[in-house]
Amino acid sequence: MHSRYVERDAEAMIARYAGEGVAGDLALRVYTTRLLGQDPKLVLHGGGNTSLKTRLTDLLGEERQVLCVKGSGFDMATIEPSGFAAVRLAALQALRARESLADRDLVRIERANLIDPTGPNPSVEVLLHAFLPAKFVDHTHANAVLSLVDQAGGVATAAEVFGERMGIVPYVRPGFELAKAAAETFDKNPDVEGLVLEKHGIFTFGATAREAYERMVAMVSLAEARLQRGRKALVKVSLPPTLAPLPSLAPIIRGACSLADEDHEGAFLRQILDFRTSPAILDFVGGAEIARYSQEGVVTPDYAIRTKTWPLVLDAPAAGDLAVFRDHARIAAAAFVARYCDYFARNSARIGRDKPMLDPLPRVVLVPGLGLFGLGRSKRDACIAADLAENAAEVILDAEAIGRFQSIPEADMFDMEYWPLEQAKLGAAAVPPLAGQVAVVTGAGGAIGAATAAAFARAGAEVALLDVNESAAAERSAAIGGAALAVKCDVTDAASVQAAFDQVVEAFGGVDIAVSNAGAAWQGRIGEVDEAVLRQSFELNFYGHQRVAQAAVKVMLAQGTGGCLLFNVSKQAVNPGPDFGPYGLPKAATLLLVRQYALEYGADGIRANAVNADRIRSGLLTDDFVKTRAKARGVSEKDYMSGNLLAREVTAEDVAQAFLHQALQLKTTADVTTVDGGNIAAALR
Ligand code: ZN
């Protein structure tokens, strides 16, 4: 790797933060921390940390020697000065004299010695930084270094590559013991430029930010050069001649990697999938020895909280053999869960832990011939797991090229996975009700569809906004933000519906909720209307719903975790209006369609419900239409819009909340909810 340090950029950083009262050395600490953090081959997602020893004035106006260390969980790529915690250095250094130190005590001592009590919690590796004397200390989990030291003979290889320039610390779990071991290694040879931590990563130090950073670059380059020598070729497995396509596989994998909620009948712990493939990933998942090297464990300890200790490995899925693959995936996932439960019980007993188990589902799934999946309760978490898995694949391939990959022992992985200071990085936010679910909304470019997609996203679902008008869907999905997906879909075209569902499945792994909302109104007196008009309306207002429901059910059955079909019907289905036959007739058929799905798929846990809304400003009921109608009836627009029993105008948001309610009621199917302010002629009997 090459140094990306540019003197001019460093000076600009100093100037930029000087205005905020940030000292030059902290500005430079921010600058090189970002340089390290922006390179995914060095650190990913909150991994790694850096520090600076400097003097700061405390709240009482006294100048103190402090350690400014990266806050726990902060991302180095985007860190700001406020992302560093300033702790009185003397208090931290005094801890080196202790024999042992409980986590709880460490956290309390840190917080008691923060210069600013509102600052973040320091990195879990704070003491390692404190016990080393250099002004600037940098720590990464560089891939090239990991490939060297994640080996049985890793310590010897590192000694040979780095010579006297680096101290080498045999594996110790991060925390107080590692900090002491690292300081002892340093004391034996204070001339070293850094430390290599077996099966963990690398530290470099310097008197300046540039020196510490460029030593990191130099050491990682030495490791990279070593990895280029004496490489042996990877032996690949043979694959079936044709593999099943991703959209047919992802729902099967997603269903296998979910769990029925024992406390709530009909509920599941579901995950979102993030799929990756590349030549390197295909090499990794297609290696003849994947069963060995993929099950060794993590490439660096802090991956354990995101990827668990091992991935689930499936067989290559032959085309045309989906039933076989489905059985295989279910058995393999169940074996993974059983193995995880054993691992938890065994290790909890070892340390006398009595706290509950995390969910036992895989976070990474490897499929030879296809690629890898990251899994998580949100798309964001799934992407993080996939990033780490992709990186681990590269580390392991390089380790295997020069030797044999080896991770830390199971007990150490467990201690890391269940270390409260590590789990704290994930945060303890309440889980929203639709977390892990995927909702597809058609007609999402319009007011009701957009409000419904937004309501489902707020409830924790990943949402896909489908509309025949792609830019309208894109605009609505941008307003929701996050991972919301805009997809072009013409529900009057079966191929377009299938393509849209494939796109959603590729993005999220499946579908749990389909809100069939797309529709449009046609008018005409029924005895005189052109048959073509009627057929056109049926295409959209009946067959459109049928195509969407059929595509959704196919995915839901592959997942095997139930699902929810929601239909926007209309009060017209029950209470026809004059000249609205072309609209009301297909809507009436759709009302029966809801019941047909409820009847035929209830045994599969798939629910079908409808909302009968009326008189809502939207694409169907344009402002011009409202104006004309109100005028014809001799009432104000406001009175026209609230012409119902409650005399209240009904909004798109009201309809969205009704759909959300139906999605959450796991024991409600074949239901029709009216959202019309009260229309007695449209009341169901
Ligand atoms: Zn580390």
Side-chain angles (χ1 to χ4, degrees):
M1 71 176 287
H2 299 284
S3 171
R4 292 168 52 232
Y5 195 102
V6 177
E7 201 59 59
R8 201 177 49 240
D9 293 350
E11 282 161 16
M13 197 71 114
I14 293 173
R16 182 182 146 197
Y17 284 115
E20 297 171 23
V22 173
D25 55 2
L26 182 54
L28 288 172
R29 178 66 290 174
V30 170
Y31 173 61
T32 58
T33 300
R34 288 189 194 165
L35 289 183
L36 295 168
Q38 285 157 5
D39 187 341
K41 292 194 184 305
L42 294 179
V43 290
L44 276 174
H45 298 298
N49 37 69
T50 60
S51 69
L52 160 71
K53 295 179 187 74
T54 188
R55 297 185 77 79
L56 281 181
T57 306
D58 69 13
L59 295 174
L60 299 174
E62 282 182 51
E63 202 177 87
R64 302 278 190 176
Q65 182 73 16
V66 297
L67 177 76
C68 291
V69 64
K70 192 197 82 160
S72 183
F74 277 76
D75 192 332
M76 287 170 65
T78 54
I79 200 159
E80 293 285 337
S82 59
F84 286 86
V87 195
R88 286 183 195 89
L89 184 59
L92 296 175
Q93 286 171 333
L95 295 173
R96 197 179 161 188
R98 297 213 183 174
E99 273 303 306
S100 64
L101 180 62
D103 293 337
R104 208 172 68 98
D105 293 339
L106 171 61
V107 171
R108 291 168 72 208
I109 291 166
E110 284 166 8
R111 291 217 66 84
N113 285 282
L114 284 174
I115 289 291
D116 177 354
T118 62
N121 272 333
S123 156
V124 295
E125 281 160 327
V126 56
L127 290 180
L128 211 163
H129 289 265
F131 295 171
L132 295 168
K135 185 173 169 78
F136 288 87
V137 176
D138 294 7
H139 170 47
T140 72
H141 303 144
N143 283 7
V145 173
L146 292 177
S147 295
L148 288 189
V149 297
D150 287 359
Q151 308 255 358
V155 169
T157 311
E160 166 206 314
V161 170
F162 301 110
E164 288 294 297
R165 295 177 69 182
M166 297 291 276
I168 295 164
V169 186
Y171 184 80
V172 179
R173 191 192 89 172
F176 180 66
E177 284 80 14
L178 174 60
K180 283 186 64 151
E184 279 156 25
T185 304
F186 175 80
D187 287 347
K188 282 183 204 145
N189 181 7
D191 295 330
V192 293
E193 296 166 50
L195 299 171
V196 172
L197 275 52
E198 187 196 12
K199 293 173 181 165
H200 177 156
I202 175 171
F203 278 78
T204 53
F205 359 106
T208 64
R210 180 168 196 162
E211 183 177 48
Y213 169 73
E214 291 190 338
R215 282 176 169 175
M216 180 68 71
V217 174
M219 296 306 154
V220 172
S221 300
L222 287 176
E224 285 172 345
R226 173 62 189 86
L227 291 174
Q228 292 311 314
R229 294 202 308 271
R231 290 177 75 90
K232 53 184 197 297
L234 182 79
V235 180
K236 304 278 280 281
V237 287
S238 60
L239 295 168
T242 322
L243 294 172
L246 177 62
S248 63
L249 297 170
I252 292 174
I253 293 169
R254 182 164 181 259
C257 294
S258 63
L259 213 55
D261 180 344
E262 284 168 12
D263 299 328
H264 302 95
E265 206 177 343
F268 287 86
L269 183 70
R270 296 176 170 99
Q271 302 195 86
I272 306 298
L273 270 51
D274 185 63
F275 177 70
R276 303 286 171 89
T277 195
S278 71
I281 291 173
L282 289 174
D283 279 350
F284 179 72
V285 298
E289 295 193 54
I290 183 174
R292 172 183 56 80
Y293 60 64
S294 74
Q295 301 301 299
E296 256 298 308
V298 291
V299 298
T300 186
D302 82 345
Y303 278 27
I305 55 166
R306 293 288 193 177
T307 63
K308 287 202 178 343
T309 46
W310 344 269
L312 167 64
V313 184
L314 297 177
D315 292 345
D321 242 355
L322 284 181
V324 172
F325 183 74
R326 189 165 188 249
D327 288 346
H328 157 66
R330 288 179 173 254
I331 292 166
F336 181 99
V337 167
R339 180 184 178 197
Y340 187 87
C341 293
D342 285 350
Y343 153 89
F344 177 79
R346 188 164 59 237
N347 285 285
S348 293
R350 172 177 58 82
I351 58 171
R353 187 181 191 280
D354 58 1
K355 295 209 185 79
M357 183 175 76
L358 298 167
D359 84 67
L361 297 170
R363 290 296 184 274
V364 177
V365 178
L366 309 178
V367 188
L370 195 71
L372 66 80
F373 294 88
L375 288 77
R377 293 281 273 158
S378 64
K379 178 70 179 175
R380 184 178 171 274
D381 284 351
C383 286
I384 291 175
D387 282 346
L388 298 182
E390 192 173 349
N391 208 54
E394 286 184 27
V395 169
I396 294 172
L397 281 177
D398 275 342
E400 290 281 316
I402 62 156
R404 183 178 266 237
F405 172 66
Q406 192 183 67
S407 182
I408 52 179
E410 174 189 288
D412 286 312
M413 275 189 283
F414 179 86
D415 290 349
M416 201 64 193
E417 186 181 356
Y418 281 87
W419 190 17
L421 299 188
E422 277 291 291
Q423 284 295 330
K425 289 182 185 174
L426 302 179
V431 180
L434 294 179
Q437 300 208 41
V438 180
V440 172
V441 182
T442 69
I448 292 174
T452 303
F456 279 67
R458 285 197 301 275
E462 301 300 341
V463 294
L465 291 87
L466 277 51
D467 203 290
V468 67
N469 180 343
E470 203 176 3
S471 63
E475 202 176 300
R476 301 290 196 174
S477 106
I480 292 171
L485 180 73
V487 182
K488 184 178 169 61
C489 177
D490 176 0
V491 300
T492 65
D493 173 1
S496 171
V497 172
Q498 190 53 54
F501 271 78
D502 284 353
Q503 206 181 321
V504 175
V505 167
E506 284 177 22
F508 298 125
V511 173
D512 305 293
I513 300 164
V515 185
S516 189
N517 167 67
W522 277 270
Q523 295 184 61
R525 201 173 178 198
I526 198 65
E528 294 142 44
V529 70
D530 190 340
E531 185 176 314
V533 171
L534 204 51
R535 286 188 183 277
Q536 206 179 359
S537 182
F538 262 91
E539 252 332 300
L540 177 60
N541 292 316
F542 173 74
Y543 287 107
H545 292 291
Q546 161 64 356
R547 288 182 196 102
V548 168
Q550 217 167 38
V553 161
K554 190 172 142 199
V555 177
M556 290 169 184
L557 291 176
Q559 290 169 164
T561 52
C564 179
L565 304 172
L566 299 170
F567 298 83
N568 189 349
V569 183
S570 168
K571 74 106 197 176
Q572 290 288 337
V574 184
N575 173 23
D579 291 340
F580 269 99
Y583 180 58
L585 288 165
K587 285 290 192 179
T590 299
L591 188 63
L592 265 291
L593 184 73
V594 176
R595 294 172 177 180
Q596 200 67 36
Y597 273 99
L599 173 73
E600 294 190 41
Y601 293 96
D604 298 296
I606 298 172
R607 299 177 296 117
N609 295 304
V611 170
N612 274 2
D614 190 24
R615 218 170 279 187
I616 292 155
R617 285 184 197 271
S618 68
L620 294 184
L621 198 58
T622 59
D623 289 344
D624 281 350
F625 183 89
V626 171
K627 212 167 270 168
T628 317
R629 279 286 160 134
K631 204 172 164 192
R633 295 190 186 183
V635 294
S636 71
E637 273 184 56
K638 186 172 178 300
D639 283 347
Y640 174 74
M641 288 307 293
S642 53
N644 53 47
L645 299 179
L646 294 170
R648 291 176 190 159
E649 179 170 347
V650 183
T651 66
E653 183 59 29
D654 296 325
V655 180
Q657 291 303 320
F659 278 134
L660 182 58
H661 164 81
Q662 288 177 329
L664 292 171
Q665 297 306 309
L666 296 179
K667 293 173 187 172
T668 297
T669 191
D671 171 55
V672 182
T673 294
T674 53
V675 185
D676 58 8
N679 176 338
I680 209 67
L684 290 158
R685 48 182 290 190

